Structure formats: structure tokens, C-alpha cells
Amino acid sequence: MATLSDEALKQKIEKGHLIETTEEMTEGYKKALIQILLVQADTELMSAPSYYMAARSAPSMNTRLSAYAVIQDELGHAHITYQLLEDLGMDKEYLIYGRKPHEFKNPYGFDQPLETWVELVVANAYFDRAGITLLGDPFENTSYGPWKRSLVKIDKEELFHLRHGEVWMKRLCEAGGQAKEEIQRAADWMFPMGVEWFGMPDHLKRHTAQLEYKLKGKTNDELRQIWLSAVVPLSESCGIHVPAHFDEAQQEYVLDYEFPVDYDPSQKRWKFDSPVSWDQVFERWKKRGPYNEIYVKSIQKHYKDFMAMLNGGN
Amino acid sequence: MLPTTLNESQIWEALKEVEDPEMPISLVDMGMVFDVSVEGANTKIQLGLTATACPAIDFIFYDIRERLKKEGCEDIEIELVWDPPWTKERISEEGRFILSTWGLSV
Amino acid sequence: MKLQETYEVFARQWRKDPLQHVGTVVAPNGDLAAAFARTIYNEEAWVEMQVAARKNFIPAIEIREEGK
Amino acid sequence: MSTNFETVHDLPESCQQAVYDLILAVADSKHLLGLRYGEWLGAPVLESSIAASAMAQDEFGHSRLFYSLVDDFVQAGLPQRQEVPSEYRNIEVLDQPFESWTDFVAANALVDAALLVQLEAFRNSSLMPLRRFVPKLIQEEVFHLQHAQGWMSLMTNTSEQSRSALQQAIRKIWDPILCWLGKPQSDSEKALLGAGIQDIDSDGLRTRWMEQVGPLVEQGHLDLPVSNDTITGEWILGSSLNWDGWDESFRRASKTGPDAETFAQIECFSTHSYPVGT
């Protein structure tokens, strides 16, 4: 562990120094780094079963192939990120196969069932846009060298997912009729899910260890604005209504509802007339969404039995 | 718009503006366009893919058609070529330069 | 899994290039190391890829302090 | 003198049906194998989940090419296959999901080897569109067997439990896969050889298959009906195949096809109402 104090480390990082090894880290730095990497790894991993569920209803061989390519990429990104965690002294195998479903740190959005191919399209447009926004930040700003370098491949591939989502969203909306209605229905629950993805607003939570150590460079609200500035115009250009608009006076995107609000996962419906506190949101997140166990199980299902057999036990 | 017929070199020029959906390189610079032939109103394009499981076929076909439609080509046939197969040697100098720099500016 | 080993992955983009180190994979044997490397390091259309077990490395210079 | 055929329209009528049957059997088998591989987000190591997904895409990519030939046959006047499970011609063992990772490994080795030797037999095919794309497919396939081989050697070297589980899993699918390579002296085999669609008969395919699978069986000390002749070095099948109820055009004994859940995924291709073409 570093001989430097936390303050000295932060000053060094402030001057643009990249951290390369655990020897250079303080306890606080390492803890914050592990926390942020675990969220990324778990998010990549749990997107795979949720996208797979949706890919089952792909309407053609070509669209199924695109969906599987996205799934393979996400598994690959998870692999890269768990490997980074292993290099920090964590046990990759335990992280993937040993934890309980509720211990995974993926956002609430990937605890939801993606039931149709159209939901995959909108997920690629909205959720992968959130992913790119969140990972584009450390790619530019992070003080941890190995993470920064790993994001070259990840960001490249996420661009294809985004394009997959955006192109199909446009095409299905141009076709109109039932296809467009399905996109609208998906957007109705996925858009606010994306808004929530970026967490608590800055006025409630400003300084975090992640920012102080420059693990990332932008605040929650800044990232949310970047996401909105991509997703709102995209949706509008498709003729899809989302509850947000650009406010000329404030020169930024604002939501048309009081944020945060209550969500009914069994109906996949946001209750826009029921504002809630952030404590209530955290409680909902902690309780996990309806597919948390199902998705984690689909990754872990065969591990234990196979390993027991391989090792000669039962 | 009345269907106009472009000659082959004009089609090549137009295809230089169609990008590979997975990276910022044109299909032409990727060496994926094997042949272009025009017969009357019919334009035939021979295309080689880097892998049989190319996940972006829909996008590539769509982008080609959209680009050529802008030039008034309506009757477009795209044929996949496997013999000879696409190889990296087909990538142009410009394509190689973009490949070597894209996304590596850490 | 027990009995896992680290393999170093080498590849080259063009025939004119030398093999370069592109990463590592952890696998229980060489066949799986090769299969894993091929699917994990798939970001380029490599013209060649090889994996080698790290345990087979023969040190020509033992690890020492930099600049000494 | 052999004739080459530029399109399926040029095939002599006497062999059209046999060629169509084989092309459709390969297309369906690769399609179903892709679906089966794709189910394994939960392989025992994440690296193999990634490999399984990659292999699934290869199989889909290959089936896409074989289905385009099937479309040509339909254009040439052969009846379009009805979209019902019982009309599917995939290798029988792909009807249901693999129950365990052991079953995955067994199929990864045996089914991929069967499809590979069938592709190899098309290398000099007289059907030109087929001959043109086949080398690319073979090149993409090679690592599938490497993946299977890696798991087989791990399972046969690590514990008696895993070795015998693998043996059992292989035994279960052994016969239908060997039969899938074709019935000796059947009319369809004669038609395929006569027209130069493939350059080797079904027993020759089985020999090539044993050249792939035999060494793995031997190295793993698996008790299976295949052995290496110490004098000639040839691989010999140690049991006779059971052809009771065998349907030559479907290349399977039971015409049940994929199970309901699997078929639901296939059916999406024909029942959807999105503007995605085909």
C-alpha cells in the first residue's frame, strides 16, 4: 500500500498522474476504485441475461445475430472488468459465481424483464447510451491507468450497440402502426429508468470519493444532462414522447415530472403523480427488481454442480 | 425523381461515403466492395464480409441502398462474395491508417 | 476452478508485423487458453494469434529493480 | 467428366430432392446448434459463456448461407417447408436444450465434428455457390473443436466422476450423430455422389469423423465403440448403427423436431409484423 497520504495522493492525481499499481494506492483510493469497478462489471454481466431474454423473440436471423453479438460483447466487457478487480486482489470466480443475487451491484434497470425484441432495441438506445455516458467519462478522466486502457475496446463496441438501438428505433417508428406503439410502450418505462440510472441529484450529494480521487470526472447531474441531450432528441425525432424537454431559459434539459417518482415493477409503470423521497428509491433498489434472482441464477445455475463433479465430490 | 443511371465510378464514389457500421471506415476502404456493375437501370454490387456471422448485414445493406437511392438508383442488387474471401490485404492504405489510430488515443 | 494457469497471448495485425503481446488468459489447459484468447481478444482481425503458458517462460533476466 | 452447377436450377432433376434434403438438414442443424450454444450464459467459467456466444453466432451465420440455398431450391420449384416443428430436420440431439455443461461439451465435440466433416466433403462440390462459401465456414469452425477438446481433456484428466459423466453424455448422442452422416448405399447417397455434390460416401464421412473424435476418446480413456487399428492406423467403428425407422430425407428416426419453447423462438421469424425483411 502507498506510503503517500490520501491528501498527497489526491494532489498527485490532480496534476494528471495516472495510478498503475496497487502499491501506489491508498486504502481509500482502492476501496472507491473497487466499488466503481464492481458496479460496472455487474452491470455488463447482468445486461447479458436481460438482453438474451429479449433476443429470444428476435424477428429474423439477422436481428438475432445482432442481438447475440451485443450479448457476447457485454459478457466480454464483464470479463475485462472482473479481471481488473482480480488484479486488485478480488476473487473473480467468487464475484461471478459465489455471491447472492442481491449482492450484485447492477442498476435497477437490469433487474427488469426485457420481454420483447422491441424492448431490446430501446434498451440498446437508452440503457447502452447510459453505459457509454458513464464509461466515456472515466475513459477521458479516470486516474486509474489500467481501467482507462480497458475502456478503448469497451467504448468501441458499445458504439455498435447504440447504433443497433438507434437505427432500429428509427426504422420501427418510421414504419408506424404497431411497431411504433411498441416502441412508445417500451420508452414509457425505460426512459424514466434511464433518468434514475444516474442516481441522486448533485444538490443532495456533491462530493464523493470517486470524484475526489478522479476515478470519474463528472457529477451525476452532468452525466444525466449528457444522456438526456442524446436520448430526448433521438426520441423526438422518432415521434416518441418522453417526459422531458429542452428549457431555453435554463439552457438544459428538464424533466416534465417531479423526480424521483414511484415505480410499479409488476406493471412496468411509473406513477408520475406519486413523487417519493430518495430514501424510498434506495429502498426499492435494495429490494431489487423482479428479475434479479432469475438473471443471476441463469449465470450461476450450472457452476456449483459441475465444479463439484470435476473435483470428484458430489 | 426519375431513376437516373450512374456509371460505375460514380457508384464507387458514393459507396466511399458508406461506413462500416462497426468502425469509422468506408466499405470501400475496408475492401468489402468487390465489384460494381451497372446494366441499364440495374446496379449490382458484390460485397465481401469479414465473417459469415456479420452482425451488421441489415445495416450495411440498408446504408448502401439509402446512399444509392439519393443518387436515384432504385434497382439495386447486393450479392455476397465468398470466393475469393475478404482478407485484410484488401484494406486500403487510408483504411489501415484509420484502423491504426481509431480509439487508441488514450 | 482449481488448476488454472496463466497464458500470455500474442498476435499480429499484419504479416509484416512481429507478434506482439495483447493480453493474458487464465485457463485449465492450452486448448481452452487458445479458444478463450480467440474470443476475448476479438477486437482486431488478427492474421495470427498464439498463446504460451507463462510457466514455460525461461527467465533470461530475472525480475530486478528498474534502472539497475 | 464431372459437371459443375452454377445454380440449384441447373441440377439434374434426378438429384434435386436429395441435395435439397441435405442442404436443409445442414441449415436446420446449424440453426438449432446456434440456439443451443446461445443458451449458455451460465457456463462454468465466464470465458466459455463468451466462447459459446461466439460459436452460436458462427452457426447462425452458416445457417444463413445454407438457408439462402434453400430459398433457391424453393424458387426452383421445390415445395416450401411448412413452419411446424415436425418438419424440422435438425440433428435429433438438438431438439431440447442441453441439460448440463457435460452435455454441452459432448455435443460441442460430436455435433461440431459431424458438421465439419460434412462441410469438408463439400470442398470440391459441383454445386458452385456451396463450394464458394464452404472454405470460409471451415476456417471459422476450427476453434469450436478446440474448445470441445479443451473441456474434454480437462474432464477426462481431473476426476473419475467427470470422466464417466462425459462418457455417458457422449454415449447418449453417439448413434444419432453417426447416423446423421447418411445411410450407406441409400438412394440419396448415390444421388449426392453421382452429381458430385460431395466427394465422399457416408462411411467415408464417418471415418473422417472418427479421425476427429477418436483421438479424444483414446486420450481420455473413454469406453466408446471406436478404436484405432494398430496396423493400418485406421479408425474403426466398434458397433453397428441402428437404422430402424430411419428417414433418409430428414436424417433422423423420429420426426418430432424442436421442443415447443425452442420452436417459439424460430416461429418469431414468420409471425412477426415488424419491417425487418427476412
Side-chain angles (χ1 to χ4, degrees):
Chain A
M1 208 46 65
T3 44
L4 283 179
S5 73
D6 233 28
E7 270 322 301
L9 181 73
K10 282 175 191 168
Q11 278 175 18
K12 219 171 146 188
I13 288 168
E14 202 45 54
K15 285 184 205 141
H17 179 76
L18 282 187
I19 306 292
E20 292 292 339
T21 64
T22 46
E23 284 79 38
E24 296 172 80
M25 297 172 190
T26 60
E27 204 53 65
Y29 184 94
K30 192 171 159 189
K31 201 177 146 206
L33 177 62
I34 286 174
Q35 190 191 26
I36 199 168
L37 287 177
L38 203 49
V39 171
Q40 186 198 333
D42 289 351
T43 306
E44 306 273 15
L45 185 64
M46 287 309 146
S47 69
S50 97
Y51 289 176
Y52 174 70
M53 183 182 177
R56 291 169 67 93
S57 67
S60 65
M61 189 68 85
N62 292 351
T63 52
R64 180 161 293 153
L65 254 169
S66 305
Y68 274 49
V70 170
I71 292 165
Q72 188 198 331
D73 287 347
E74 300 291 7
L75 292 170
H77 301 171
H79 175 263
I80 290 171
T81 318
Y82 287 119
Q83 200 59 54
L84 288 174
L85 284 157
E86 178 132 320
D87 297 342
L88 294 169
M90 309 285 285
D91 179 352
K92 173 176 136 202
E93 195 168 346
Y94 169 77
L95 290 177
I96 300 169
Y97 300 103
R99 283 181 298 161
K100 301 266 185 301
H102 69 270
E103 294 177 286
F104 280 78
K105 308 282 184 214
N106 59 281
Y108 188 68
F110 283 134
D111 280 351
Q112 310 302 319
L114 287 192
E115 287 160 303
T116 63
W117 175 69
V118 167
E119 289 193 336
L120 174 65
V121 164
V122 180
N124 282 163
Y126 287 2
F127 294 177
D128 284 86
R129 171 63 78 181
I132 284 200
T133 306
L134 284 163
L135 296 180
D137 174 21
F139 177 60
E140 272 179 52
N141 300 311
T142 190
S143 59
Y144 187 49
W147 190 21
K148 191 183 181 92
R149 287 188 293 277
S150 77
L151 290 169
V152 175
K153 172 184 160 86
I154 294 178
D155 285 348
K156 261 192 207 178
E157 290 173 347
E158 291 287 343
L159 279 178
F160 175 68
H161 307 179
L162 196 59
R163 177 161 173 170
H164 177 253
E166 293 185 352
V167 167
W168 276 119
M169 218 174 122
K170 281 184 187 150
R171 244 182 266 170
L172 295 176
C173 288
E174 272 166 27
Q178 194 203 326
K180 188 174 174 184
E181 281 167 29
E182 280 187 50
I183 295 273
Q184 181 67 62
R185 273 206 299 280
D188 286 345
W189 74 269
M190 293 170 112
F191 177 84
M193 199 63 87
V195 173
E196 215 185 62
W197 206 287
F198 296 91
M200 231 184 198
D202 294 351
H203 68 271
L204 296 173
K205 178 193 193 180
R206 186 164 290 264
H207 290 288
T208 70
Q210 295 178 354
L211 279 170
E212 286 169 13
Y213 290 121
K214 261 187 90 181
L215 290 170
K216 58 179 206 167
K218 295 195 173 78
T219 67
N220 288 359
D221 281 349
E222 286 167 344
L223 292 164
R224 194 171 3 244
Q225 270 302 314
I226 296 173
W227 182 79
L228 285 169
S229 69
V231 163
V232 176
L234 166 76
S235 306
E236 283 171 352
S237 76
C238 293
I240 293 299
H241 173 76
V242 290
H245 68 277
F246 187 72
D247 186 287
E248 291 293 342
Q250 297 178 57
Q251 281 298 298
E252 62 173 29
Y253 284 89
V254 293
L255 299 174
D256 301 336
Y257 59 95
E258 209 168 316
F259 174 59
V261 289
D262 200 10
Y263 180 68
D264 175 2
S266 67
Q267 301 286 318
K268 282 186 169 175
R269 230 186 43 231
W270 293 88
K271 301 180 196 161
F272 292 109
D273 45 7
S274 305
V276 294
S277 70
W278 273 97
D279 279 343
Q280 284 169 292
V281 174
F282 291 140
E283 205 178 305
R284 169 160 50 81
W285 287 358
K286 222 177 133 191
K287 242 172 62 192
R288 308 301 306 237
Y291 269 58
N292 165 243
E293 279 194 29
I294 293 169
Y295 290 155
V296 171
K297 227 173 149 184
S298 74
I299 301 285
Q300 298 179 339
K301 194 162 71 177
H302 297 274
Y303 170 82
K304 226 171 113 192
D305 287 349
F306 183 81
M307 287 303 168
M309 179 193 69
L310 194 64
N311 296 323
N314 291 303
Chain B
M1 194 196 290
L2 281 174
T4 57
T5 309
L6 299 188
N7 66 33
E8 280 149 20
S9 66
Q10 288 167 311
I11 303 265
W12 278 100
E13 281 306 308
L15 291 176
K16 273 205 96 166
E17 291 167 26
V18 180
E19 274 186 6
D20 182 315
E22 292 176 271
M23 49 191 116
I25 302 178
S26 82
L27 299 180
V28 174
D29 280 323
M30 273 301 282
M32 289 166 67
V33 182
F34 279 60
D35 192 36
V36 170
S37 59
V38 177
E39 231 172 276
N42 174 273
T43 304
K44 196 165 160 186
I45 293 161
Q46 293 199 320
L47 199 69
L49 297 178
T50 55
T52 58
C54 172
I57 277 194
D58 277 334
F59 299 150
I60 294 172
F61 280 33
Y62 183 83
D63 292 349
I64 290 175
R65 288 177 198 282
E66 286 301 296
R67 182 65 192 80
L68 295 184
K69 258 187 212 164
K70 269 201 237 166
E71 306 293 336
C73 300
E74 290 288 343
D75 182 7
I76 302 154
E77 234 180 288
I78 304 170
E79 191 194 342
L80 295 180
V81 183
W82 301 101
D83 180 29
W86 177 90
T87 62
K88 288 198 80 174
E89 271 62 39
R90 297 189 52 91
I91 301 177
S92 74
E93 278 307 315
E94 198 180 330
R96 287 173 201 220
F97 178 73
I98 298 169
L99 264 183
S100 67
T101 55
W102 183 53
L104 295 179
S105 49
V106 177
Chain C
M1 197 191 307
K2 291 175 198 163
L3 308 170
Q4 298 258 68
E5 274 178 39
T6 300
Y7 290 78
E8 302 292 344
V9 185
F10 302 89
R12 51 180 173 160
Q13 276 225 56
W14 305 99
R15 279 166 168 275
K16 66 173 172 55
D17 296 341
L19 280 171
Q20 280 181 330
H21 188 243
V22 296
T24 61
V25 288
V26 176
N29 57 44
D31 280 323
L32 283 177
F36 294 167
R38 188 186 163 119
T39 45
I40 288 166
Y41 297 100
N42 65 342
E43 63 268 36
E44 305 287 351
W46 309 109
V47 297
E48 183 182 2
M49 181 182 278
Q50 305 280 352
V51 297
R54 191 184 279 170
K55 68 162 186 207
N56 292 338
F57 281 22
I58 300 163
I61 298 175
E62 294 279 359
I63 303 170
R64 61 188 181 199
E65 288 295 301
E66 286 172 31
K68 285 188 185 165
Chain D
M1 257 260 309
S2 64
T3 322
N4 287 337
F5 310 107
E6 264 313 313
T7 70
V8 302
H9 295 259
D10 304 330
L11 287 169
E13 218 166 290
S14 56
C15 76
Q16 246 183 8
Q17 187 66 41
V19 184
Y20 173 76
D21 287 342
L22 175 56
I23 298 294
L24 190 50
V26 174
D28 283 347
S29 294
K30 281 191 166 279
H31 183 179
L32 266 292
L33 184 58
L35 288 173
R36 293 293 165 248
Y37 282 161
E39 286 161 352
W40 283 85
L41 301 175
V45 297
L46 185 55
E47 289 87 339
S48 270
S49 302
I50 300 169
S53 175
M55 293 193 290
Q57 290 167 65
D58 289 339
E59 300 303 343
F60 287 155
H62 299 177
S63 78
R64 183 160 65 185
L65 290 169
F66 279 96
Y67 280 129
S68 74
L69 282 180
V70 170
D71 289 344
D72 293 345
F73 276 101
V74 172
Q75 278 197 355
L78 275 92
Q80 182 136 29
R81 174 252 303 279
Q82 272 184 297
E83 282 299 324
V84 290
S86 58
E87 287 297 311
Y88 270 73
R89 301 172 183 212
N90 55 283
I91 299 182
E92 263 176 86
V93 303
L94 302 173
D95 283 354
Q96 292 98 27
F98 307 138
E99 278 173 23
S100 65
W101 184 247
T102 309
D103 285 345
F104 180 108
V105 173
N108 189 185
L110 270 57
V111 177
D112 251 318
L115 290 165
L116 183 65
V117 297
Q118 182 62 62
L119 291 183
E120 291 278 6
F122 289 145
R123 263 193 201 273
N124 302 309
S125 182
S126 57
L127 185 56
M128 293 311 287
L130 177 62
R131 176 154 142 189
R132 288 194 187 103
F133 67 61
V134 144
K136 178 78 180 169
L137 272 55
I138 292 170
Q139 185 205 331
E140 290 176 339
E141 280 275 334
V142 175
F143 102 97
H144 298 200
L145 282 177
Q146 199 172 32
H147 183 264
Q149 193 172 332
W151 278 103
M152 277 184 70
S153 74
L154 181 70
M155 292 184 73
T156 52
N157 285 325
T158 311
S159 76
E160 181 47 34
Q161 275 93 333
S162 58
R163 201 194 60 82
S164 80
L166 180 64
Q167 182 172 290
Q168 223 177 325
I170 293 179
R171 209 180 266 283
K172 206 166 56 181
I173 62 177
W174 186 265
D175 271 15
I177 291 170
L178 277 161
C179 287
W180 186 84
L181 293 169
K183 191 176 179 183
Q185 308 298 322
S186 63
D187 289 343
S188 81
E189 181 185 275
K190 284 177 203 153
L192 293 169
L193 290 170
I197 301 301
Q198 62 186 47
D199 60 4
I200 187 168
D201 67 9
S202 59
D203 281 337
L205 285 172
R206 270 181 284 274
T207 301
R208 286 191 187 169
W209 183 88
M210 287 187 283
E211 285 165 9
Q212 299 282 341
V213 176
L216 304 178
V217 167
E218 199 178 61
Q219 282 155 27
H221 304 288
L222 296 170
D223 180 20
L224 292 159
V226 64
S227 61
N228 191 253
D229 187 304
T230 44
I231 296 161
T232 62
E234 258 178 66
W235 290 94
I236 299 156
L237 198 58
S239 67
S240 57
L241 296 167
N242 178 2
W243 299 98
D244 286 351
W246 185 254
D247 185 308
E248 189 51 31
S249 57
F250 275 59
R251 292 185 175 239
R252 44 187 294 161
S254 69
K255 288 202 205 170
T256 46
D259 67 8
E261 222 176 288
T262 310
F263 191 70
Q265 292 185 58
I266 298 170
E267 215 179 6
C268 290
F269 291 3
S270 49
T271 55
H272 73 84
S273 55
Y274 306 121
V276 298
T278 46

